[in-house]
Amino acid sequence: MASNTAKRQDGRQCVLGKRTMKYMQGVINGKWIVSFDWIEQCNKQWRWVPEEPYELSGDMNHGITDAPRRARESLRDCKPKLFRKFSFCFQDSYPDKYPSTAVLKHLVTMGGGKVLAGSAKHRRRGVSNSNGFVLCAPDLMLPDANCIYQQCGLEPLSLMWVLDCISLYRTMPMDTFKLRHVDISPTPSLST
């Protein structure tokens, strides 16, 4: 795994990993995520060495977050999963620079989220879900976001929200990740 070193405020060195899908899967599943130095030390000493000194402290996107440790401890202590309050619907496909629908569904499910049946394209408006969202590519154009909202009635949300929540291992505020739509539902007319 590609990594960088960083310094904590107390001066101690720590290691940050590249935010890959393997890294994200490890965090959301509460796995040990260690630097390659751990493998080298195990080989050098011909035994397993403690993982703690080699555990990654975050990723290169967000810096020192201690997300791997917090996720691991949270799952060990049977605390509620990250996406437990949310339901998600997905676009049929995403541009190549983003994770696939299958990978996003896996991350959401492992994080305790519910995957709604059907893609955004095939969902029908009227199914009320205040905690339901359509995960969309962050560069989705406003008319397309409006179309998704009008079609299925779920708020379009950038898929980056899921990735950033995992990177930080905390639920982020959604406002900056919502792909704003203009509600063009008919307004009631006033009678004279």
Side-chain angles (χ1 to χ4, degrees):
M1 170 181 274
S3 60
N4 276 349
T5 57
K7 268 196 177 176
R8 294 185 175 276
Q9 288 182 345
D10 63 7
R12 291 181 298 139
Q13 290 283 335
C14 61
V15 179
L16 303 176
K18 187 175 180 185
R19 186 166 88 173
T20 63
M21 283 306 112
K22 290 288 184 193
Y23 172 83
M24 304 296 276
Q25 290 169 339
V27 170
I28 202 69
N29 286 304
K31 302 299 181 191
W32 280 102
I33 304 175
V34 295
S35 69
F36 192 74
D37 292 343
W38 179 77
I39 295 170
E40 290 175 336
Q41 283 302 312
C42 289
N43 283 336
K44 188 186 234 181
Q45 296 183 32
W46 288 85
R47 65 179 182 88
W48 295 113
V49 298
E51 295 92 345
E52 287 91 350
Y54 302 96
E55 187 168 28
L56 297 188
S57 297
D59 63 48
M60 293 181 216
N61 290 51
H62 288 284
I64 301 170
T65 64
D66 291 317
R69 178 189 52 78
R70 289 186 302 103
R72 186 175 45 73
E73 290 174 352
S74 177
L75 293 173
R76 177 197 67 204
D77 297 341
C78 298
K79 292 187 178 170
K81 292 186 173 187
L82 198 58
F83 303 126
R84 70 195 175 281
K85 296 179 182 177
F86 305 103
S87 299
F88 300 96
C89 197
F90 302 84
Q91 287 182 261
D92 287 327
S93 63
Y94 298 92
D96 288 343
K97 62 184 174 180
Y98 302 114
S100 69
T101 302
V103 168
L104 287 169
K105 284 181 179 180
H106 177 72
L107 291 173
V108 162
T109 303
M110 292 296 101
K114 181 180 178 190
V115 173
L116 298 171
S119 68
K121 189 185 228 180
H122 298 102
R123 279 193 66 80
R124 294 290 169 246
R125 192 175 175 85
V127 177
S128 177
N129 190 338
S130 60
N131 287 335
F133 300 92
V134 178
L135 289 184
C136 299
D139 47 8
L140 184 72
M141 301 301 289
L142 183 61
D144 295 327
N146 287 339
C147 183
I148 287 172
Y149 178 74
Q150 288 299 313
Q151 191 169 16
C152 65
L154 297 175
E155 182 88 44
L157 183 69
S158 169
L159 62 85
M160 297 307 290
W161 180 81
V162 167
L163 302 182
D164 285 352
C165 288
I166 295 170
S167 278
L168 299 166
Y169 203 73
R170 67 181 163 91
T171 306
M172 301 286 298
M174 290 182 169
D175 282 350
T176 58
F177 295 93
K178 287 182 179 176
L179 301 172
R180 298 293 175 196
H181 64 272
V182 179
D183 191 346
I184 52 175
S185 54
T187 55
S189 59
L190 299 174
S191 53
T192 54

